Amino acid sequence: AQSVTQPDIHITVSEGASLELRCNYSYGATPYLFWYVQSPGQGLQLLLKYFSGDTLVQGIKGFEAEFKRSQSSFNLRKPSVHWSDAAEYFCAVGWHNYGQNFVFGPGTRLSVLP
Amino acid sequence: DGGITQSPKYLFRKEGQNVTLSCEQNLNHDAMYWYRQDPGQGLRLIYYSQIVNDFQKGDIAEGYSVSREKKESFPLTVTSAQKNPTAFYLCASSIDDRDISNQPQHFGDGTRLSIL
């Protein structure tokens, strides 16, 4: 079955430091890839998505992500973290016409130190 | 402003009682979804609907039921058969009824259900 892993349950970074959140998926077919962010007690907001083309995609709030087919990864990055980026981040993967259409990862909680 | 409205924000259920969570969208989206969120488990799909009067089970449909009588509404009933209903429930929608695997989803702000 398809699966999505986010190896880091919780990450803490200092404000102004760079950030990378990891996401890996299990199935080999070309997937559709998404990153969402969730603030406490709220719903999820789309940060960015990748379908095809340039493997480095830009999103909102200064985030970017890179698709690496050889590593089945879609890692999220930000060069300089702000205190307001503290939230939970979810990677999601969609597969066309294969079993369940999409799966969310378990999430990574980001804390930001002042 | 267009969006998804979930109500109530907090809901309490007694043992053996059915409860219904409301989800309304004014985005004119065709597809709608219900997720359950538990700490450390991400989002798990309960049901989804790609078109009015049709819906499909997700990974954890047991103990839940849905209806889709109108495009803008997708209520979720948590039945007494759901033995562990305490969770955060999220409703989402996406724009069309074709391949949902490639569509970003728009989320409501959730309903937190607790057992009394």
Side-chain angles (χ1 to χ4, degrees), chain B residues 75-92:
Chain B
L76 173 75
T77 296
V78 184
T79 75
S80 57
Q82 173 48 244
K83 297 307 178 188
N84 184 23
T86 296
F88 189 54
Y89 290 88
L90 285 163
C91 179

Side-chain angles (χ1 to χ4, degrees), chain B residues 18-33:
Chain B
N18 294 353
V19 291
T20 297
L21 283 61
S22 170
C23 178
E24 303 277 333
Q25 55 100 356
N26 61 3
L27 299 165
N28 200 33
H29 284 177
D30 288 319
M32 297 186 73
Y33 313 80

Side-chain angles (χ1 to χ4, degrees), chain A residues 1-8 20-29 31-35 65-76 89-95 103-108:
Chain A
Q2 307 99 305
S3 67
V4 178
T5 56
Q6 294 180 246
D8 304 302
E20 182 169 25
L21 302 181
R22 296 181 289 164
C23 172
N24 294 91
Y25 60 92
S26 65
Y27 184 61
Y32 306 109
L33 302 161
F34 307 84
W35 274 101
E66 185 173 13
F67 171 53
K68 293 185 177 180
R69 185 188 305 276
S70 61
Q71 298 177 18
S72 298
S73 70
F74 188 56
N75 293 350
L76 182 72
Y89 291 81
F90 292 93
C91 179
V93 182
W95 290 271
V103 176
F104 280 84
T108 296

